[in-house]
């Protein structure tokens, strides 16, 4: 990915760097103020200076490379990674936990090989829920009545609305 490829794009919420990308250039996503999730393919070998800096809404980073990429120490500067969850292959977990800047993430959790998305969802049909309980979207906002398809939380359980 070219340097400054998405710099300042304030409407990007999620970005996926495909498996065939080997380098993310300097300031590639610098200042993407709405960016909440990054997915980095398994072939990535290098992440440049300030590549994901000033992305204050970042929640999750998924890095599928077993060996951590050579990453500039300021790649996530001012993106509050001490509040961000880093998802990495289980085989590389210890390496990431001991390498700056990866070690600065709030939590480093394994992506299990048996589940490529690492998302385990058990859903309860909407009609089986207690009708008096409120719904919450996945950002924790209360929803009186879900009007869109998706996953909501009700009584501490995930509920799928078709």
């Amino acid at each position: 990915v070219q340097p400054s490829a998405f710099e300042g794009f304030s409407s990007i919420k999620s970005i996926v760097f495909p498996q065939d990308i080997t380098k993310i250039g300097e300031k590639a996503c610098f200042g993407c103020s709405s960016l909440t999730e990054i997915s980095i393919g398994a072939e990535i070998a290098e992440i440049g200076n300030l590549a994901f800096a000033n992305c204050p809404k970042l929640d999750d980073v998924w890095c599928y490379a077993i060996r951590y990429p050579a990453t500039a120490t300021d790649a996530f500067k001012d993106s509050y990674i001490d509040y961000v969850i880093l998802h990495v292959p289980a085989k590389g977990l210890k390496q990431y936990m001991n390498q700056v800047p990866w070690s600065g993430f709030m939590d480093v959790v394994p992506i299990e090989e048996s589940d490529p998305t690492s998302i385990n969802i058990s859903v309860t049909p909407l009609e089986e829920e207690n009708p008096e309980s409120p719904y919450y979207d996945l950002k924790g906002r209360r929803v009186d009545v879900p009007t869109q398809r998706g996953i909501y939380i009700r009584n501490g359980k995930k509920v799928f609305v078709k």
Side-chain angles (χ1 to χ4, degrees):
V1 175
Q2 296 295 319
S4 302
F6 304 103
E7 182 177 355
F9 282 38
S10 62
S11 61
I12 294 176
K13 292 183 179 183
S14 176
I15 192 161
V16 176
F17 294 96
Q19 296 298 329
D20 59 344
I21 298 291
T22 59
K23 180 179 180 180
I24 298 173
E26 180 177 306
K27 293 187 172 183
C29 293
F30 182 90
C32 290
S33 58
S34 296
L35 188 62
T36 61
E37 185 173 53
I38 301 167
S39 179
I40 301 169
E43 299 302 315
I44 195 69
E46 183 179 345
I47 299 175
N49 292 329
L50 304 170
F52 303 107
N54 293 323
C55 299
K57 292 188 178 178
L58 201 55
D59 290 325
D60 287 285
V61 174
W62 298 78
C63 189
Y64 292 90
I66 291 174
R67 172 138 171 70
Y68 61 85
T71 307
T73 57
D74 65 356
F76 295 95
K77 183 179 180 181
D78 297 327
S79 291
Y80 309 109
I81 61 171
D82 48 334
Y83 296 101
V84 178
I85 297 174
L86 174 63
H87 307 263
V88 298
K91 290 180 181 177
L93 187 67
K94 287 183 182 179
Q95 291 178 29
Y96 282 90
M97 293 174 73
N98 294 313
Q99 184 65 38
V100 174
W102 306 104
S103 59
F105 281 79
M106 175 178 76
D107 201 3
V108 182
V109 298
I111 300 170
E112 299 299 331
E113 289 181 35
S114 61
D115 183 5
T117 62
S118 85
I119 298 173
N120 296 317
I121 297 175
S122 60
V123 296
T124 305
L126 185 60
E127 58 274 2
E128 291 181 22
E129 289 296 315
N130 179 348
E132 297 172 16
S133 297
Y135 293 91
Y136 294 90
D137 66 16
L138 294 180
K139 293 195 181 270
R141 297 175 295 206
R142 186 179 175 137
V143 177
D144 291 327
V145 178
T147 57
Q148 297 180 3
R149 284 182 44 171
I151 298 173
Y152 295 86
I153 307 297
R154 189 177 206 190
N155 292 329
K157 295 181 182 178
K158 293 178 183 121
V159 178
F160 181 70
V161 176
K162 293 181 183 180

